[in-house]
Amino acid sequence: MFLRKWMKISFVLVLFISWILPTTSWASEADESGTFTMKVSTLMPNQGDTIEVVIAGQQLTDVYAFEINLEYDPTRLTFIDAKSDVPGFSVPPSVKNSHIQLAHTKVGKGKGFEGEQSLFKLHFQAIQNGNNELTLSSVKIVDSNLGNFTKQINAKSTLTIHHPYAFDDLDSFDWAVEAIEDLASKGIVNGTGERQFSPDSAVTRADFLVLLMRALGLKGTVGQPFDDIEADAYYAQPVAIARNLGIVQGDEVNQFHPKASITREDMMVLTDRALRVSNHLTLVGDQSDLTIFEDVSLISDYAFASVATLVKIGLVHGYANQVFPQDTTNRAQAAVLIYNLLTYIK
């Protein structure tokens, strides 16, 4: 009975901390005592890892109950649980959007604890690549005489979450992360530097063709070389094989323009031809497959069937009701197309 009574009293006290006294401050020596810290188990977790966050107090005086407030990014981290090793009773965590509130009280008569104490251990799971700022915003303390004070902390830790195969420059390319990670793990795409993918950089005609040939594993005999490709260029052989297979044709003066940025419609044309040469595609799209796009008139005649076909089979989706055929292709878009292509042929 005695324990049950104090449990009820302590629960009321925690509620008192959280809701009744948010603007009240008691003048006391405790108002100047105590420091609070936040320790994170790792600042560079991999996607899927569990992260432990320890909130601790130092130089504490008569702490009977306490409330802790934290901020985090729920798109990058998933809150799992929180537990206090302090004897007493904890209120279930309150999690609203990006805010977490924790509260705990001792049970029974007597003074609160003093000195150094671990207050709460929280666990999160890293769910999305990118930077996440975890902030210990405030700690509210109630002593055994019901005196209370709130300390504004604003202690921040920045976590950089990444996949083992991810790059550090994909924060603005969430739609492409899965494709880039998968292709990188298979050696189909490479970075441009140490953990850099340069997703917004334009893709040249030669580089896209090399990527396409590598992804489909296309091999063959070397065809007639183009006049604007040096024999020792890293892309010379793949381009020559692609020409012999009928994937590329060049222009009227026997040039391929390997270093020119490839347009989205040319990317689709080469992909369409490669799929047919490798016997992965027989369907042909038409006008009805492009009705949702408002810029169909911008598609070149030679590319129209290829664009319609890739839309029909789900390799290309466009965005903002447009397919942007004349825009140049960036590395992220090329990776997504190749990823969709490999998914399709499976």
Side-chain angles (χ1 to χ4, degrees), residues 93-149:
S94 172
V95 183
K96 296 181 180 179
N97 299 321
S98 61
H99 181 76
I100 300 175
Q101 186 177 83
L102 308 169
H104 184 89
T105 180
K106 287 188 66 178
V107 174
K109 295 181 179 180
K111 280 186 169 293
F113 56 84
E114 301 192 352
E116 185 172 347
Q117 177 68 51
S118 173
L119 304 178
F120 263 102
K121 290 181 181 178
L122 301 85
H123 295 97
F124 297 86
Q125 183 178 41
I127 59 172
Q128 178 62 55
N129 290 14
N131 293 331
N132 174 79
E133 194 169 72
L134 191 64
T135 304
L136 172 60
S137 54
S138 67
V139 177
K140 183 180 291 185
I141 295 297
V142 174
D143 62 27
S144 58
N145 296 316
L146 300 188
N148 81 93
F149 71 94

Side-chain angles (χ1 to χ4, degrees), residues 2 4 18 54 75 85 89 94 101-102 107 111 119 125 135 142 159 217 222 228 239 271 299 321 333-334:
F2 178 78
R4 184 179 300 174
S18 304
V54 178
T75 67
D85 293 330
F89 175 76
S94 172
Q101 186 177 83
L102 308 169
V107 174
K111 280 186 169 293
L119 304 178
Q125 183 178 41
T135 304
V142 174
L159 284 69
V222 174
D228 59 348
V239 172
T271 302
I299 302 174
N321 294 327
Q333 293 168 341

Side-chain angles (χ1 to χ4, degrees), residues 223-271:
Q224 178 187 357
F226 289 105
D227 292 341
D228 59 348
I229 294 182
E230 299 292 334
D232 59 351
Y234 67 88
Y235 48 78
Q237 184 174 0
V239 172
I241 292 174
R243 185 176 196 179
N244 197 49
L245 291 173
I247 297 172
V248 298
Q249 298 172 352
D251 61 16
E252 64 277 2
V253 293
N254 195 40
Q255 293 193 348
F256 179 67
H257 306 283
K259 297 180 182 179
S261 298
I262 193 168
T263 62
R264 284 172 55 81
E265 66 176 10
D266 280 355
M267 176 180 69
M268 294 181 233
V269 168
L270 296 184
T271 302

Side-chain angles (χ1 to χ4, degrees), residues 36 40 47 70 96 100 117 122 132 142 150 169 179 181 217 220 235 258 281 286 300 305 313 342:
F36 301 93
V40 183
Q47 185 177 326
L70 299 99
K96 296 181 180 179
I100 300 175
Q117 177 68 51
L122 301 85
N132 174 79
V142 174
T150 298
D169 56 352
E181 288 178 347
Y235 48 78
L281 182 63
D286 56 31
S300 301
I313 64 176
L342 293 176

Side-chain angles (χ1 to χ4, degrees), residues 12 18 28 32 58 60 64 71 74 81 88 92 114 123-124 131 136 159 197 200 205-206 223-224 239 276 279 302 328:
V12 171
S18 304
S28 68
E32 301 298 327
Q58 298 83 31
L60 302 174
Y64 195 90
E71 311 295 331
D81 60 28
E114 301 192 352
H123 295 97
F124 297 86
N131 293 331
L136 172 60
L159 284 69
F197 186 74
D200 203 29
R205 289 168 54 80
Q224 178 187 357
V239 172
R276 295 184 190 284
N279 297 315
Y302 72 86
T328 55

